[in-house]
Amino acid sequence: MTTRRLVLSRSAAIVGAASTGLLLPQIVRAQSNRIRVGFMLPYTGTYAALGVAIENGVRMAISEKGGKLGGREIEWFKVDDESEPAKGVENANRLVQRDKVDVLIGTVHSGVQMGIQKVARESGVLSIIPNAGVHAATRALCAPNVFRTSFTNSQPTLALGKPMFDKGIKRAVWITHKYAAGDEAFEGFRDSFTKAGGTVVKELGLPFPQVEFQALLTEIASIKPDAVACFFAGGAAAKFMRDYAAAGLKDRIPLWGSGFLTEGVLDAAGPAAEGVMTTLHYSDSLDTPRNRQFRTAYATNFKMQPDVYSVQGYDAGQLLVQGVAAVKGDIAAKQALYKAMESAVIDSPRGKWSMSKAHNPVQDMYLRVVEKKENKVLGIAAKALADSGAGCKMA
Ligand code: BEZ
């Protein structure tokens, strides 16, 4: 066959394949010119509602800006990570290797995040963390292509110890799900509470995602601390507050926590949540035009109330919109893209925030109390709090 005939017959084959829908995935991608965005989030298990809230927030931020990124249409992909650390690498590779996403948005659970972090560092794919607070992601294992729009696990609890001590609490018990999120939240609590003058008299824990709290509550009753501080989130948080009240502890030993305790669960927890005090980088009742507009739009769109997870997803969407707009849709222009994302100031419902050098939000922490099924803000517990970024070579 002559060269010309070969070329012609190949072109004919491509046209034929196109008309029968058999084009290679790369060719389809080049033609469709879409940006491929993958969600790796929990859609089942104790953190399922958190995954939904994050996805809603991302989609809302992008749709408010016209539904495109840098003028390009979006193709969406989704993987349910089940909050299962053992499947973290495999699930991240489904999006990165199989679906060839341009950006991976995930996840909630710190253990699963370590799998994403490995894949992100090895593949160089742009990765936005919309919740998981594991320290390593923006400390020793930080990377130019990884950005977080949420918090590090010790950020909320670094703001917790002083207000507790100031309320006259001198002896506290700590209780948590035993994995990176709870252990690192404890670091923040221990450091801030002991620095203020308090003593942690006992550390209690149970494996994630177990929710059999009875034996631990009996132990708390026998210790009789001035207060309990904790880290629980999602369905487990609602059950913990209900069990705490049912065990007769609510009126005897005040319950405090990292603010995830009362996020997205106030209906499920009912009266057991009333009066619980927490610290977090968001509060439902923040009385700003930005927060009011966000809450109204979210409730209208999704027929449910937003929470901190919706806000973190919304800010992930805002960050992506700003970054891709700065490179006019050319997501392959990585240096310029990362520079734009690093210098972004996010006009968030939580208040404006910027990125630390290690790519983690520098943000205010609010002191809150649950009142009439709302996380009511009492004040700022820590202003412009930055994580240390210890061990991050970019910082
Ligand atoms: C975490 O695993 O990092 C996490 C999960 C839920 C709420 C906050 C942190």
Side-chain angles (χ1 to χ4, degrees), residues 47 50 108-111 131-134 151 153 179 181 231 233-234 260 309:
Y47 289 162
L50 287 60
V108 167
H109 184 288
S110 278
N131 184 71
V134 62
F151 55 88
N153 285 322
Y179 76 103
F231 167 84
F260 306 104
Y309 310 107

Side-chain angles (χ1 to χ4, degrees), residues 76-295:
W76 301 95
F77 297 83
K78 270 167 84 154
V79 165
D80 175 10
D81 68 36
E82 304 163 48
S83 295
E84 177 49 82
K87 296 185 194 162
V89 168
E90 182 191 332
N91 279 329
N93 271 327
R94 284 200 181 144
L95 290 169
V96 174
Q97 305 292 347
R98 182 192 67 188
D99 300 332
K100 309 260 183 286
V101 296
D102 298 299
V103 49
L104 189 164
I105 300 178
T107 188
V108 167
H109 184 288
S110 278
V112 180
Q113 194 66 46
M114 291 305 282
I116 297 182
Q117 195 74 7
K118 181 174 179 344
V119 172
R121 283 166 61 93
E122 286 170 5
S123 66
V125 75
L126 174 60
S127 162
I128 302 181
I129 309 173
N131 184 71
V134 62
H135 285 168
T138 53
R139 290 192 186 179
L141 296 181
C142 71
N145 54 314
V146 176
F147 294 80
R148 178 148 50 198
T149 61
S150 48
F151 55 88
T152 59
N153 285 322
S154 57
Q155 258 182 320
T157 43
L158 273 172
L160 184 62
K162 184 162 180 340
M164 283 181 71
F165 190 79
D166 289 349
K167 280 266 177 196
I169 296 160
K170 296 199 170 55
R171 298 167 64 254
V173 165
W174 171 260
I175 181 167
T176 187
H177 264 146
K178 286 295 291 173
Y179 76 103
D183 293 342
E184 293 176 351
F186 175 64
E187 283 177 32
F189 173 63
R190 179 201 55 210
D191 291 357
S192 59
F193 189 57
T194 53
K195 190 171 164 212
T199 307
V200 181
V201 290
K202 184 87 184 180
E203 262 185 84
L204 297 171
L206 74 172
F208 178 90
Q210 287 179 21
V211 288
E212 296 312 320
F213 299 116
Q214 208 45 57
L216 298 167
L217 294 173
T218 305
E219 198 172 343
I220 290 171
S222 73
I223 297 170
K224 298 192 183 64
D226 298 335
V228 168
C230 68
F231 167 84
F232 291 109
K239 179 160 191 303
F240 180 70
M241 287 187 284
R242 286 197 308 266
D243 288 4
Y244 195 85
L249 297 178
K250 182 172 161 47
D251 298 325
R252 287 195 279 143
I253 305 172
L255 181 59
W256 293 64
S258 182
F260 306 104
L261 181 65
T262 57
E263 285 297 312
V265 297
L266 294 179
D267 282 334
E274 292 291 307
V276 172
M277 305 271 292
T278 60
T279 44
L280 200 66
H281 47 285
Y282 179 64
S283 179
D284 309 339
S285 77
L286 283 174
D287 193 16
T288 60
R290 185 74 178 104
N291 188 41
R292 280 197 300 272
Q293 171 261 322
F294 166 78
R295 295 194 69 85

Side-chain angles (χ1 to χ4, degrees), residues 28-68:
V28 173
R29 267 214 321 281
Q31 284 183 346
S32 70
N33 191 34
R34 293 193 180 163
I35 293 190
R36 298 162 81 89
V37 179
F39 288 115
M40 177 161 155
L41 292 167
Y43 294 104
T44 51
T46 194
Y47 289 162
L50 287 60
V52 172
I54 288 167
E55 180 178 337
N56 288 347
V58 172
R59 286 183 184 268
M60 190 170 111
I62 295 176
S63 96
E64 280 178 357
K65 296 292 173 199
K68 293 185 181 176

